[in-house]
Amino acid sequence: MDPVLTRFVREPGAETLDFYLAHEGYQALRKTLSLRPADLIEMVKASGLRGRGGAGFPTGLKWLFVPKDSPLPKYLCVNADESEPGTFKDHVLMERNPHLLIEGAAITCYAIGAKVAYVYIRGEFLHVQLVLERAIEEARAQGFLGRDIFGSGFGCEIYVHRGAGAYEAGEETALLESLEGKRAQPRLKPPYPAAVGLYGCPTVVNNVETICNVPLIVSKGPEWYAQLGPEKNGGPKLYCISGHVARPGVFEASMRVTLRELIYDHAGGIRNGRALKAVIPGGSSTNIIPPDRIDAEASFEGVARAGSQLGSAAMIVMDDSTCMVWLVKNLLHFYRHESCGKCTPCREGADWMYKIVGRIERGEASMRDLDLLVSVARNITGKTLCPFGEAEVAPVQSAMEHFREEFEAHVREGRCTVPSTWRVDSR
């Protein structure tokens, strides 16, 4: 399929308001204001748009959960934290097409009855924040934000809030806690943010890519949008491909595309002619899968059938020089650092697993440590307030399922037995 979301991202000046207006910018917002909010929500439901942040929850249904009769103000929070390792698609959209996000946020506010939207942006994205804030000022100056947009009586404002770089703030309730000035730690659910969210008010939290799809649905219709992808997976999808490929980057495709096509057709195949060893299809918090499963459709259901999750669609590709023990240790180093500490199984379990895998990599472990590693991971799963627990055990459990022989070889030989041309020895 021809790119839609990223059609102009490589064009000079694509981030400016003049460029956006020259390519039908803000026409979807104008059209939206002639619709009833309930009809707009039904359009989004019919389109098959699902959340692009990882969970894949139907977007229109999420909006529908916001109580219409609540006397409290309503809010939209755009999750621009994008701290999942291997993920960089939202960065591209905000930096090169910020007005698409602004228009999508204004349309979403109209649908749910909100007058204020916050873009919660990752702390390290200062340069992106400056681009986004400049675009918001441009939009406000031209009357696309503020009071009485297009003389409709509807008005909304968008503010950018910069986080402190915490991975946990990507979880929607932890994001709300951080936005309120507290530590980024998850809330107990229910109640869900749609009913009790920011400042105790009804709130919708959507990912950047999700919001950027909304103007497309309004402009071209839900039927057009739905037919771009397989059933229940409508629209275009952005895939981040990194690791041992010839052409890493962000690629836009229908979710009918397979993992194999993404790796070999879009990203140019495995670099230096080496063999594919493993793929993490949805960011580091999803299960590792072996090469014999890459013919799976890169949709939410397709990747699930392959034994993993689409997640943020951040594919990390590994060739046959990769030591899986080193990989798991590297990811656990990240997760033990990023745990918010609220749930004991997650806080203690990540450090415990990291130490076990460290012993295995150094050749100081026994076979009993492999079973202990599996046991610790199993006792974290399902015992935390948010999905962070499942995220930190995903690389452990999937690596032990598909590559246990490498862990056993480390124990028997006391060293890594995988020929590697790039891995740094951490001893």
Side-chain angles (χ1 to χ4, degrees):
M1 59 169 281
D2 293 329
V4 182
L5 290 169
T6 58
R7 181 182 175 188
F8 300 114
V9 295
R10 291 176 178 83
E11 297 288 333
E15 76 282 2
T16 65
L17 178 60
D18 287 343
F19 186 97
Y20 192 65
L21 291 176
H23 296 86
E24 301 181 354
Y26 292 102
Q27 292 305 305
L29 177 58
R30 185 184 294 274
K31 180 179 177 180
T32 291
L33 298 179
S34 67
L35 303 172
R36 295 188 309 157
D39 294 336
L40 178 58
I41 292 175
E42 287 303 316
M43 285 178 65
V44 175
K45 284 178 62 180
S47 72
L49 173 62
R50 296 171 66 172
R52 303 311 203 218
F57 193 82
T59 303
L61 187 59
K62 194 173 196 178
W63 295 0
L64 199 60
F65 290 156
V66 175
K68 303 299 180 289
D69 56 352
S70 173
L72 299 172
K74 302 174 180 68
Y75 295 101
L76 167 66
C77 293
V78 181
N79 187 343
D81 192 63
E82 195 168 51
S83 51
E84 177 71 20
T87 313
F88 39 92
K89 58 187 177 61
D90 294 345
H91 177 289
V92 171
L93 290 171
M94 288 186 289
E95 185 176 36
R96 300 300 302 154
N97 202 356
H99 285 282
L100 183 63
L101 174 61
I102 294 167
E103 184 174 18
I107 293 171
T108 303
C109 284
Y110 179 76
I112 65 173
K115 299 196 181 302
V116 174
Y118 292 100
V119 179
Y120 184 98
I121 195 166
R122 180 178 173 180
E124 292 84 352
F125 284 175
L126 175 59
H127 64 295
V128 182
Q129 177 185 345
L130 297 177
V131 171
L132 191 57
E133 289 178 335
R134 185 164 57 247
I136 290 171
E137 288 302 318
E138 288 179 328
R140 185 179 292 114
Q142 292 297 317
F144 302 129
L145 293 175
R147 297 181 179 179
D148 197 24
I149 299 171
F150 294 130
S152 65
F154 168 75
C156 75
E157 291 286 355
I158 299 176
Y159 303 100
V160 179
H161 180 94
R162 187 177 175 203
Y167 175 85
E168 179 60 23
E171 195 275 332
E172 63 177 11
T173 62
L175 182 154
L176 297 177
E177 289 285 290
S178 179
L179 197 52
E180 292 178 359
K182 294 173 279 188
R183 292 185 65 181
Q185 292 185 324
R187 298 174 179 175
L188 183 64
K189 294 185 288 189
Y192 293 92
V196 183
L198 185 65
Y199 310 127
C201 301
T203 305
V204 164
V205 183
N206 277 139
N207 166 262
V208 167
E209 186 188 353
T210 309
I211 295 296
C212 286
N213 275 272
V214 173
L216 305 180
I217 297 168
V218 175
S219 295
K220 299 182 180 296
E223 296 81 9
W224 170 87
Y225 188 89
Q227 61 84 31
L228 293 179
E231 186 179 2
K232 298 180 181 179
N233 289 267
K237 183 75 189 78
L238 299 187
Y239 297 91
C240 312
I241 308 181
S242 61
H244 299 155
V245 291
R247 295 193 303 270
V250 177
F251 302 92
E252 183 175 345
S254 163
M255 282 189 273
R256 294 189 181 93
V257 73
T258 66
L259 299 176
R260 180 183 297 278
E261 289 168 339
L262 287 168
I263 295 169
Y264 288 95
D265 297 342
H266 291 74
I270 310 304
R271 68 182 187 185
N272 301 326
R274 300 193 71 106
L276 175 64
K277 182 170 183 175
V279 178
I280 306 178
S284 70
S285 62
T286 61
N287 291 334
I288 304 165
I289 60 174
D292 61 2
R293 300 189 184 184
I294 65 169
D295 288 309
E297 186 178 77
S299 64
F300 290 98
E301 286 77 17
V303 178
R305 287 191 292 269
S308 188
Q309 305 82 33
L310 182 61
S312 60
M315 296 179 60
I316 304 172
V317 180
M318 293 158 279
D319 68 21
D320 57 1
S321 70
T322 307
C323 171
M324 303 309 289
V325 179
W326 173 87
L327 170 74
V328 171
K329 181 185 175 186
N330 192 33
L331 293 178
L332 285 174
H333 181 272
F334 171 80
Y335 284 114
R336 75 164 184 164
H337 178 269
E338 292 295 338
S339 174
C340 76
K342 187 168 186 175
C343 304
T344 303
C346 175
R347 180 185 67 244
E348 301 299 328
D351 189 60
W352 194 358
M353 290 189 297
Y354 176 78
K355 289 176 179 175
I356 295 171
V357 176
R359 290 202 302 269
I360 296 170
E361 191 197 30
R362 293 190 302 272
E364 300 171 358
S366 67
M367 289 297 178
R368 292 180 61 184
D369 283 311
L370 303 186
D371 294 330
L372 177 60
L373 179 62
V374 173
S375 176
V376 174
R378 185 172 57 245
N379 281 284
I380 296 171
T381 306
K383 297 178 175 65
T384 56
L385 283 174
C386 81
F388 193 105
E390 280 74 12
E392 68 185 14
V393 304
V396 174
Q397 293 178 322
S398 54
M400 288 294 287
E401 177 185 357
H402 301 300
F403 301 98
R404 184 178 175 115
E405 68 279 1
E406 283 192 30
F407 288 77
E408 293 176 349
H410 267 268
V411 174
R412 286 195 307 269
E413 303 293 330
R415 62 182 179 85
C416 179
T417 59
V418 178
S420 176
T421 59
W422 63 274
R423 181 174 56 89
V424 177
D425 192 337
S426 61
R427 281 181 283 182

